[in-house]
Amino acid sequence: MSSDFTIADCGDSALVAKAVGLDAEPAWRLVHALADALNAVRLTGVHDVVPTYDALLVEFDCAATDHDTVRRVLAHEAARLGPHPAPTTPPRRFVVPVVYGGEYGPDLPEVAAQLGVTEGEIIALHSGSDLTVRCLGAPAGAPMTDGPPFPKPVPRLASPRTKVAPGSVAVAGRQAVICPMPSPGGWPLLGRTPVRVLDLHSDPITAYRPGDTFRFVPIEPQQWDEYADLALGDLANSVVGHG
Amino acid sequence: MADTLTIRTAGIVTVQDLGRVGRSRYGLPANGAADQHSARVANVLCGNDDRAPLLEITALDFACVPSGDILIAVTGAPADVTVEGVVRPQWEPVPVRAGETIRITGIHRGLRVYLAVLGSFEAEYLQGSCAPDTILGFGPPLRAGDTLALRTACPPIDHPFSRIPLFRLKAPVPPFPTSWTIDVTDGPDRAEFGDTGQRLFDAPFTVTPRSNHIGLRLQGTVPRRVTRGEVLSRGVPIGAVEVPAGDELLVLHRGRGVTAGYPVLAVVTATGLSALGQVRPGQTIHFRHRTLPQAITAHRAQRQAIDALRTRVRTAFEALRIRAPAEA
């Protein structure tokens, strides 16, 4: 077995492979390449793969296969890939307008206080660099990116919200996300984008893929309506003027 | 024009199937029937594909009327099932004539009843499944007056002797106790709970009303994480037992978000998940520790029982000259 990751049982119908001893970038590359490789071999009984930042969940029907078989194929594919698999698709860049603070990002003051910086500095850091999409996750295919270069990790809310507005831009730990649909959530909210994140009539329903990048651009609340008819897919490789 | 099934009393009812497969990577949870075993058996009893659309009826009374002759099967939680006022069995195929009212009332001990129709009905699909996704807003509950278009006409069911088909198909009926035993295996992060992990098995937990197909919240003496530190979001399995915060245990079910950042103490087994899909708020759960081989053996036995039922259904349908839709 490759020494770059460990495999653990995750109940009777799943395994989780985790990259170890690798930096964030090669760890992420490895688990996504492994997910692609596992999909390509179409192993009987395996129905879902969930590659994230440094881990890969493999879900299967244990009436049709077993842990040992899936483990063996994972190890074989990892050995075949080698430690530094190349990316398979060219990344795209999405420029995403965000109204920060106020009712749009009610946790902005609290996050600034926790990190010991000003609200303006939080906004500058969040919108100051391209953030890479690492995986699609909860809720509803949310784009999960690297966190902005904050001085330290952002704690989750002590009491999660029962409903987070769609388009909310949130951070936690060393991660950031856009919440595509109204849903419960425990991540502090910095702002909100007026653009529609998902398109239920396309397949997949998300325009972005792991490896793509997001650049958040601050806009004023009165600019909300200018972007309200747009979908995230319309913003690929686009330019948004500063407000 | 195709025959229809008209909903008369809706209660809480949705069109379901076994769920969305292969979309976890795009962040979409499986969803689908909360009690997969009962849903599967209902379709098998109608000669349908296991994945055919069927109705999931939760807790409240339900009634519907077909415009043509149909064959149905009702599985899941114990309930009073009548056709035009006559009591009919659950877990067996039941013929229904055009215009007769099917009533399902008094659902008890369990939470969800499944109703399948021979040939199934038309349903809207999203990403390969008709299962509702409440986060995406797909698959709203049915309302009184809604009609479902039946996919295949079912000729009147003819019995060579009595014209009344009497089925004795011996479908595998799971127990519906008042206090549930739910099987779990160790989760990948059990060590993060130290000795407190054992609390999962020491005393019962009570299911709170804040429970649904996304997850069940349980009250009891909860284990405590003994490690600290940030966990990067990663894929979590259906059935993951987590302790997010406070004094509640969270058990993820089929609508769970595919990623989370909490350590996984234990994972409910495949057979345990079907049982968990039937537990009512207020009922108690005892968790029972299983090894992986024990869990897998139980799941395979349950599936083999369904496979054997499928064979008996085929034989019975051939004898009664019922055309099984799956082979049509």
Side-chain angles (χ1 to χ4, degrees), chain B residues 212-231:
Chain B
N212 54 28
H213 62 286
I214 294 175
L216 292 89
R217 291 182 182 275
L218 314 182
Q219 275 177 343
T221 308
V222 300
R224 295 285 174 202
R225 194 177 164 195
V226 295
T227 58
R228 293 208 66 78
E230 286 294 330
V231 180

Side-chain angles (χ1 to χ4, degrees), chain A residues 94-98 126 131 133 135 137-145 164-171 175-181 183 187 189 191-198 208 214-216 232 235:
Chain A
F94 294 83
V95 179
V96 184
V98 175
H126 188 260
L131 302 177
V133 177
C135 62
M144 309 194 79
T145 68
V164 171
S168 290
V169 171
V171 289
Q175 299 172 245
V177 73
I178 308 177
C179 301
M181 301 299 273
S183 53
W187 291 27
L189 309 180
R192 195 177 164 203
T193 179
V195 306
R196 205 169 60 249
V197 181
L198 303 182
Y208 43 83
F214 283 179
R215 181 63 170 263
F216 296 107
L232 200 53
L235 300 178

Side-chain angles (χ1 to χ4, degrees), chain B residues 15-31:
Chain B
V15 173
Q16 279 287 8
D17 60 16
L18 295 182
R20 215 154 264 119
V21 175
R23 311 297 165 133
S24 301
R25 193 176 187 174
Y26 302 105
L28 297 187
N31 277 299

Side-chain angles (χ1 to χ4, degrees), chain A residues 12-243:
Chain A
D12 62 11
S13 306
L15 287 170
V16 62
K18 194 169 186 299
V20 289
L22 291 174
D23 289 339
E25 185 72 23
W28 170 76
R29 227 175 261 291
L30 175 64
V31 296
H32 283 261
L34 207 44
D36 289 338
L38 200 57
N39 273 349
V41 301
R42 297 179 175 276
L43 188 60
T44 303
V46 172
H47 55 79
D48 272 281
V49 292
V50 189
T52 45
Y53 290 76
D54 62 351
L56 168 66
L57 179 75
V58 182
E59 299 179 288
F60 51 85
D61 178 355
C62 65
T65 186
D66 56 56
H67 294 67
D68 285 347
T69 303
V70 180
R71 219 179 261 273
R72 206 162 46 239
V73 172
L74 268 176
H76 175 79
E77 291 302 317
R80 201 177 56 76
L81 284 170
H84 300 292
T88 50
T89 48
R92 295 197 298 169
R93 183 171 186 259
F94 294 83
V95 179
V96 184
V98 175
V99 181
Y100 285 94
E103 60 184 288
Y104 301 91
D107 301 317
L108 179 61
E110 178 67 18
V111 171
Q114 281 165 337
L115 299 190
V117 297
T118 66
E119 295 179 26
E121 285 170 310
I122 294 289
I123 295 170
L125 288 168
H126 188 260
S127 60
S129 55
D130 289 5
L131 302 177
T132 301
V133 177
R134 295 302 174 184
C135 62
L136 277 51
M144 309 194 79
T145 68
D146 291 328
F150 288 154
K152 55 186 178 185
V154 180
R156 286 174 169 76
L157 299 175
S159 178
R161 287 189 172 81
T162 52
K163 203 142 218 178
V164 171
S168 290
V169 171
V171 289
R174 295 281 186 192
Q175 299 172 245
V177 73
I178 308 177
C179 301
M181 301 299 273
S183 53
W187 291 27
L189 309 180
L190 299 185
R192 195 177 164 203
T193 179
V195 306
R196 205 169 60 249
V197 181
L198 303 182
D199 180 359
L200 293 193
H201 301 293
S202 60
D203 185 8
I205 63 174
T206 44
Y208 43 83
R209 288 181 298 250
D212 292 345
T213 61
F214 283 179
R215 181 63 170 263
F216 296 107
V217 175
I219 60 167
E220 297 300 322
Q222 53 268 31
Q223 291 177 277
W224 180 274
D225 290 345
E226 293 173 34
Y227 300 100
D229 291 334
L230 292 176
L232 200 53
D234 301 329
L235 300 178
N237 302 322
S238 63
V239 176
V240 171
H242 285 258

Side-chain angles (χ1 to χ4, degrees), chain B residues 100-253:
Chain B
E100 292 184 335
T101 301
I102 303 161
R103 276 183 213 286
I104 295 167
T105 57
I107 296 173
H108 62 285
R109 298 220 303 273
L111 189 59
R112 295 178 171 100
V113 166
Y114 294 88
L115 190 160
V117 183
L118 185 147
S120 191
F121 43 79
E122 296 300 334
E124 195 182 339
Y125 279 74
L126 174 73
Q127 301 282 309
S129 168
C130 65
D133 185 314
T134 53
I135 300 289
L136 291 179
F138 176 79
L142 297 176
R143 293 178 299 185
D146 285 352
T147 59
L148 299 164
L150 299 171
R151 276 180 179 168
T152 49
C154 174
I157 289 152
D158 198 0
H159 190 279
F161 304 113
S162 65
R163 303 194 65 83
I164 303 169
L166 290 173
F167 293 99
R168 288 284 183 273
L169 289 168
K170 294 192 174 66
V173 184
F176 285 87
T178 50
S179 177
W180 296 77
T181 297
I182 300 296
D183 288 347
V184 300
T185 60
D186 285 337
D189 310 313
R190 189 177 196 279
E192 296 205 21
F193 294 87
D195 294 338
T196 76
Q198 180 60 30
R199 289 182 190 168
L200 192 62
F201 309 106
D202 287 344
F205 289 84
T206 304
V207 178
T208 75
R210 290 173 59 227
S211 299
N212 54 28
H213 62 286
I214 294 175
L216 292 89
R217 291 182 182 275
L218 314 182
Q219 275 177 343
T221 308
V222 300
R224 295 285 174 202
R225 194 177 164 195
V226 295
T227 58
R228 293 208 66 78
E230 286 294 330
V231 180
L232 275 173
S233 297
R234 70 268 191 276
V236 286
I238 296 166
V241 178
E242 300 178 342
V243 189
D247 289 319
E248 284 184 339
L249 207 62
L250 176 62
V251 186
L252 302 180
H253 215 272

